[in-house]
Structure formats: structure tokens, C-alpha cells
Amino acid sequence: MTPDQPGGTASHPASGAPDSGDQATDHALESASQTSTPPGPPAPVRLLLVDDEPGLRTAVKAYLEDEGFAVSTAVDGEDGWEKAQELLPDVVISDVMMPRCDGYGLLRKLRADERLGGTPVIFLTAKGMTADRIAGFQAGCDDYIPKPFDPDELVARVRNAVRRQERLLAEAARFADADIGQMAKQITEIRSLLATGGQAKKPAGSSDLVFTPREASVLQLVAEGLMNKEIARRLETSIRNVEKYVSRLFIKTGTASRTELVRYALEHGLVE
């Protein structure tokens, strides 16, 4: 009696029916597909809307949220400054004429802050005179929209500010990586200096240099052999700010490279 005849015993599974190995494989693949988490959508752009008019805040907030933005609001410049420090928005949209702290005061605070200094700021105001727009741009705002305005125009300008900021950040990242080979060489030299102890003595009669706390922190981390990206993460600031402080240190110490800067710091006892 052959296996295919009635009452026979098949030596292999029937056609189309998976064996136990196939079943185990299918079960594993099914489990993996159920447990793997697909990448979610990108986080929405965070906007901070600062205006003392409740009706305008409500209407503009609703419109921007319908366009996919995450919108927080503040009632004046003081409230806006507090919210900005907490939220770290991608773009700030601010009225100019407000109680307690106006738009210009808020802008000055933002530009002076290391974490928020590069945040795009759009002035949204009833003033439409050319002199007022010039004053806004001179104060450091990125765009200026006089009231009344078309909501679609506001959305377009916000998106343009976001794209411009993304390009600037991408360019800064490319610049930071452009001289990676030279910087790696300097890091190696710095670590060699640290291993030998350098000439850790302060020449007699040399004048003392005064560093801000942040400059001193950057100098210490440079002396520890950290690169700009690592220093930025350690200090919770941007790469551009680190580059700015390193440049200041070069100027103050009269040096032209990180290796020279660390050697100077070791010789003058400026780092641990």
C-alpha cells in the first residue's frame, strides 16, 4: 500500500501544509512583526504665540494647530520669556505692543540666552510703518507681519522660518565636521600634552586673564580633549555657541589652534 492510498502512512507532510519548523518560523516572524515598532511621524513644529489679545490668541492658535503645529500661548513678554525657557520653541510669534514686557524686550532676552538665541522670531503687530519694520529687523527679528494679516500668509512665513533654520543648522553641522581630520590631530596632540603634564607652571610676571564662567568651562573641556559636539552636549548648548567661545579663547590667549590653547592653559595653570 502506497502512502497516497487510503490507510497508508505518509512519510512527509501533505502538500501545502507546513511542517513544525515552518510553523515555528512563521510564529517567530509574526511575533517580531507584532513587537517591532515602526518609526512614528516627525514631531510637530513647536510654536510660541505671545499676544495680549485673548481673541487673537485663540483664533491664531486654532488655525495654526489645524495646520499641524504644536502651539503654546503667552499673554505678554514676561509670560512669553518664562514659557520660552520651559518649552524651547522652534519659532516665536510675538506682538510688539504688550504690557509688562513688549516684543522688543522679549526679543532681547531671547537673543541673550544661549539656548534660545538662534530661535526665529516673527513680530505680529498692528504697526505697519516702514520705520517700525526697520526697527524690528534691527532689533533682530526674523520676520514682520502687520495686522490685519492673512492666516495663510502667517503659516507660509512660519514654515519659511523653519526651513531657513533647518538650513542654517545643517550648514553649521557641515562646518563643524569640515575640519574633522585637523581637529582629530589636535585632540591627539592635546592628549599627549596631558599625558606628559605639559609645562604646568605659570611664568613669572605674566598677567592674569579673566574668563567668564562659561569660557572657563569650555576651556576645561577643550583641555580634556573633547570635541565641539561633545562640549555642546556636556554644556547643553549649541555647537555654534561652543565655536563662539573657543574663538573668544583664541583671541584672549593669543593662540590659533586648540593645541596651542591647551598648551597655554597648562603652562599658565588655567586648567586642572
Side-chain angles (χ1 to χ4, degrees):
M1 186 179 297
T2 65
D4 293 330
Q5 291 174 334
T9 303
S11 60
H12 60 274
S15 175
D19 61 16
S20 59
D22 292 333
Q23 291 175 338
T25 301
D26 291 342
H27 179 70
L29 291 174
E30 183 179 356
S31 298
S33 65
Q34 291 175 347
T35 57
S36 60
T37 303
V45 174
R46 303 183 310 275
L47 306 182
L48 176 60
L49 173 62
V50 187
D51 199 293
D52 61 333
E53 298 181 32
L56 184 141
R57 281 200 314 273
T58 301
V60 174
K61 181 178 187 293
Y63 194 90
L64 291 172
E65 287 179 337
D66 286 343
E67 293 295 322
F69 298 104
V71 185
S72 300
T73 61
V75 300
D76 56 33
E78 285 293 337
D79 187 28
W81 170 237
E82 294 176 2
K83 296 281 181 61
Q85 294 177 88
E86 175 186 350
L87 301 170
L88 300 180
D90 298 304
V91 178
V92 173
I93 305 169
S94 176
D95 190 17
V96 170
M97 303 303 294
M98 296 181 292
R100 294 204 301 171
C101 176
D102 62 13
Y104 295 113
L106 173 60
L107 180 59
R108 284 193 295 270
K109 291 183 178 183
L110 293 171
R111 292 293 179 253
D113 186 270
E114 288 187 355
R115 298 178 304 164
L116 297 164
T119 304
V121 176
I122 299 175
F123 273 163
L124 188 65
T125 176
K127 289 189 173 182
M129 300 297 291
T130 300
D132 296 319
R133 292 198 298 272
I134 292 174
F137 288 127
Q138 288 178 336
C141 75
D142 297 86
D143 208 343
Y144 195 109
I145 306 179
K147 301 175 187 176
F149 58 89
D150 185 328
D152 289 333
E153 180 183 2
L154 174 60
V155 169
R157 288 177 182 260
V158 168
R159 288 179 173 155
N160 186 54
V162 171
R163 287 193 295 267
R164 184 166 57 244
Q165 186 74 353
E166 289 174 346
R167 288 196 300 269
L168 290 173
L169 292 174
E171 183 63 25
R174 284 196 296 270
F175 177 78
D177 292 335
D179 298 326
I180 192 70
Q182 180 64 25
M183 185 173 290
K185 178 181 177 182
Q186 292 185 22
I187 294 298
T188 300
E189 294 173 350
I190 288 170
R191 287 172 178 165
S192 176
L193 279 173
L194 296 175
T196 60
Q199 297 176 351
K201 59 181 181 180
K202 188 174 180 180
S206 63
S207 59
D208 291 330
L209 294 177
V210 178
F211 298 105
T212 66
R214 184 47 62 96
E215 288 172 345
S217 297
V218 171
L219 178 58
Q220 180 63 44
L221 294 174
V222 169
E224 290 177 10
L226 272 65
M227 302 181 74
N228 287 352
K229 287 183 179 179
E230 297 169 317
I231 296 174
R233 284 195 297 268
R234 183 77 65 86
L235 298 180
E236 297 183 347
T237 186
S238 67
I239 295 175
R240 291 180 64 187
N241 279 331
V242 174
E243 292 169 350
K244 177 181 66 177
Y245 284 113
V246 171
S247 297
R248 287 183 184 177
L249 291 169
F250 286 160
I251 294 171
K252 283 190 174 184
T253 59
T255 57
S257 72
R258 295 167 76 94
T259 306
E260 292 180 10
L261 176 61
V262 172
R263 181 179 290 112
Y264 182 96
L266 290 171
E267 290 176 352
H268 291 75
L270 301 176
V271 293
E272 298 177 358

